[in-house]
Amino acid sequence: MASPPQELTLIGLCDGELDPKRYQSSYLVNKVGGQPDWLPVISRQCPRCGRCGAPLAHVAQVYCPMEASPYHRNLHLFACPGAECSGRSEGWRVLRSQCLETEVAAARAASRPAPAQGASLSTTDWCDTADDWGMEEEEEGGGDDGWGGGVKKDTLVQQEAAAPEAEEGPALSEVDVGSRLQDLSLGESHEDVPVFRPFFISVVEESDLCGEDEDLEHARELLREYERRGGAVAVGEPDGSEEKYEKTRARHGDTVFSRFMKKISLCPQQILRYGHGRKPLFISEPPSNMAQAVSACGSCGGSRTFEMQLMPALVSLLRRGGGGAEAELEFGTVLVYTCANSCWTSGSGSAVEEFCFVQADPDQQLFK
């Protein structure tokens, strides 16, 4: 997901389950759940809840290099599955990591196994495997180009790049080797951490969503349902001009929620909104001191700016893999603010923590 011009907002949609038996995930992939795919120079992070101290579950991975920047760049979002924590900001962590392409190349070279010396195949060895010639490649490399359909090439290239990596060469790619080696160090610390079923995230520009009649009708029904429950009622002007809202306060607050619903009406199933430097879409009245509440960058001391947010429709996707019970994760929207300069120190080996602000959904059942 390349950082778009500031006047554009990108929308993230669920684009099918990421089956690890068919697709090789990497840091280039936008996804929900699963295990985080760290850049090859970043040590594996195991963040914990700031409220209860429990290990956090991986919620989303976003590949988001800045425009005209030489760095690969990722955001990883984690949340506490505790019922009392997921709706609070202290129950979430967001980590930013970056690295140069030269560092990726160096990591690949370091992970490439040395060529075997003095080893030769005997006649029987050759014959034993002759009948299986090519079968493994067919099973592992059965490529599928279906996950990236409809996604703009200039906003999302990583999903199409992920599958070919699995087909190149006789084994795992060098980048994935580093990731797998990191997995070996997880040990018992990760045993109790829930892992959500992984899904691809496809990306479209919000301006391209016009004309979705079925989605619009669904959105209108959500608004009508909200209004029946006592929300602010939208009143259309006789001349067809922009709508205005009655000043009657909804039982959950003021008209902020109605504006939120109206904004997402073009695509109620959106799970992510991305707009670096744009204004966030609040689901309820934000604190009056929101600008002061967003802390400065912990690395360079500079200011932070809004970059992305998770949306209520994501909640229904966050289910544990392997047929386990559904994790208790409830939120309205999760706003992510990152260093305006995207500062980075090469060679640090650790991700940088950024700022997130969680708002509870005033009417969560509308999105279920």
Side-chain angles (χ1 to χ4, degrees):
M1 182 187 299
S3 179
Q6 290 196 359
E7 64 272 12
L8 292 179
T9 295
L10 302 181
I11 301 297
L13 304 170
C14 177
D15 198 18
E17 188 165 2
L18 196 167
D19 184 354
K21 296 180 180 179
R22 298 179 61 196
Y23 299 96
Q24 178 184 314
S25 181
S26 76
Y27 64 87
L28 297 170
V29 175
N30 294 320
K31 67 178 183 179
V32 170
Q35 296 285 3
D37 301 306
W38 300 102
L39 288 161
V41 298
I42 301 298
S43 60
R44 182 161 297 274
Q45 313 287 301
C46 298
R48 291 185 171 272
C49 178
R51 185 174 184 274
C52 70
L56 303 184
H58 182 242
V59 175
Q61 170 180 301
V62 179
Y63 178 71
C64 47
M66 305 298 292
E67 187 176 9
S69 170
Y71 285 96
H72 293 288
R73 186 172 179 271
N74 281 115
L75 292 177
H76 287 98
L77 284 84
F78 299 84
C80 180
E84 300 298 322
C85 299
S86 61
R88 301 169 180 264
S89 298
E90 55 265 36
W92 286 74
R93 299 275 298 278
V94 55
L95 301 179
R96 171 174 57 87
S97 55
Q98 300 179 198
C99 77
L100 296 168
E101 179 59 31
T102 54
E103 295 177 292
V104 173
R108 287 176 177 171
S111 63
R112 187 177 294 117
Q117 297 182 359
S120 61
L121 289 174
S122 67
T123 303
T124 55
D125 288 337
W126 177 270
C127 294
D128 286 342
T129 59
D131 291 341
D132 296 330
W133 197 7
M135 294 299 292
E136 182 176 354
E137 289 185 6
E138 292 179 6
E139 293 176 0
E140 294 181 357
D144 189 339
D145 60 357
W147 291 121
V151 180
K152 289 185 173 295
K153 292 184 179 179
D154 59 346
T155 59
L156 183 68
V157 298
Q158 65 279 12
Q159 290 176 6
E160 294 181 357
E165 287 184 5
E167 300 174 3
E168 294 177 359
L172 295 173
S173 69
E174 293 86 347
V175 173
D176 192 63
V177 168
S179 176
R180 296 298 175 87
L181 290 175
Q182 286 177 332
D183 288 338
L184 297 177
S185 66
L186 291 178
E188 297 180 355
S189 63
H190 245 259
E191 286 187 354
D192 296 329
V193 180
V195 177
F196 298 126
R197 290 173 57 191
F199 294 90
F200 285 109
I201 300 176
S202 63
V203 181
V204 296
E205 293 180 10
E206 187 175 37
S207 58
D208 291 340
L209 296 174
C210 299
E212 304 270 346
D213 294 338
E214 183 178 343
D215 293 340
L216 283 172
E217 181 56 35
H218 176 60
R220 293 190 187 103
E221 178 58 33
L222 291 177
L223 283 170
R224 287 193 290 268
E225 175 65 19
Y226 175 66
E227 290 163 5
R228 284 195 295 269
R229 296 183 182 190
V233 181
V235 181
E237 292 294 319
D239 61 357
S241 60
E242 184 179 357
E243 293 177 342
K244 63 181 180 180
Y245 288 84
E246 295 180 355
K247 295 301 183 181
T248 55
R249 291 185 64 84
R251 63 176 179 171
H252 300 301
D254 55 13
T255 60
V256 175
F257 184 64
S258 289
R259 291 197 296 269
F260 179 92
M261 294 294 292
K262 181 182 178 182
K263 184 66 176 177
I264 69 170
S265 63
L266 286 175
C267 186
Q269 68 270 34
Q270 60 186 272
I271 61 175
L272 180 151
R273 294 176 66 86
Y274 185 95
H276 189 275
R278 302 211 70 191
K279 292 183 179 180
L281 182 60
F282 292 103
I283 199 171
S284 58
E285 192 70 37
S288 58
N289 63 338
M290 186 65 194
Q292 290 74 32
V294 178
S295 60
C297 175
S299 295
C300 70
S303 62
R304 286 190 169 110
T305 186
F306 172 77
E307 182 161 351
M308 60 163 285
Q309 65 188 107
L310 302 181
M311 303 298 284
L314 176 60
V315 172
S316 62
L317 295 178
L318 298 175
R319 301 174 182 271
R320 303 188 191 208
E326 182 175 351
E328 297 293 334
L329 205 65
E330 297 285 350
F331 60 88
T333 186
V334 181
L335 312 174
V336 175
Y337 295 79
T338 60
C339 176
N341 297 318
S342 195
C343 67
W344 186 254
T345 302
S346 295
S348 64
S350 297
V352 173
E353 183 166 4
E354 297 287 13
F355 180 86
C356 63
F357 179 75
V358 179
Q359 287 190 306
D361 188 350
D363 218 348
Q364 183 72 39
Q365 64 266 31
L366 288 179
F367 297 92
K368 292 184 177 180

